Amino acid sequence: MAEKVKLSKDGSSIDFVQSDNLPTSLKKFRQSPEIEGFYRFIFENDLQKEAYEILDRIILQRKAKKADAKKEAQAAAKEEKAAAKAATKGKKK
């Protein structure tokens, strides 16, 4: 069984085993020592609710950012279409 996550004496830092290479797949990422240690730390310290709230907030922020980027792209496409339409009208006269 893997070792417990090591907490500093004052509780301000966590020691994880770090690997030199990045996992190439999602399954390998979940099984990496850093992530396993993180999950273990959350479970052992009964922080599931807090971790869920943090991850939920991050997901909502990313969704909002993605929606804003999509709106900006649509507005830019609309402006480009209007400019192209105006340019074709100008050439006809």
Side-chain angles (χ1 to χ4, degrees), residues 17 19 21 23 27-37:
V17 177
S19 60
N21 54 357
K27 184 176 180 180
K28 287 182 182 179
F29 173 78
R30 288 181 179 159
Q31 293 175 348
S32 68
E34 293 91 353
I35 299 303
E36 284 187 21

Side-chain angles (χ1 to χ4, degrees), residues 43-86:
F43 183 76
E44 288 173 356
N45 292 290
D46 198 27
L47 298 171
Q48 291 93 336
K49 183 179 177 184
E50 292 82 354
Y52 176 80
E53 290 172 358
I54 291 168
L55 291 175
D56 191 44
R57 192 177 313 150
I58 290 170
I59 290 168
L60 291 175
Q61 288 173 349
R62 288 184 177 182
K63 283 183 180 179
K65 186 177 178 181
K66 189 175 181 179
D68 288 343
K70 187 176 180 179
K71 285 180 184 178
E72 288 177 10
Q74 287 176 343
K78 191 174 182 179
E79 287 177 14
E80 187 177 309
K81 188 176 179 180
K85 191 174 182 180

Side-chain angles (χ1 to χ4, degrees), residues 3 30 33 38:
E3 262 184 54
R30 288 181 179 159
F38 178 68

Side-chain angles (χ1 to χ4, degrees), residues 8 13 21 23 51 64:
S8 65
S13 65
N21 54 357

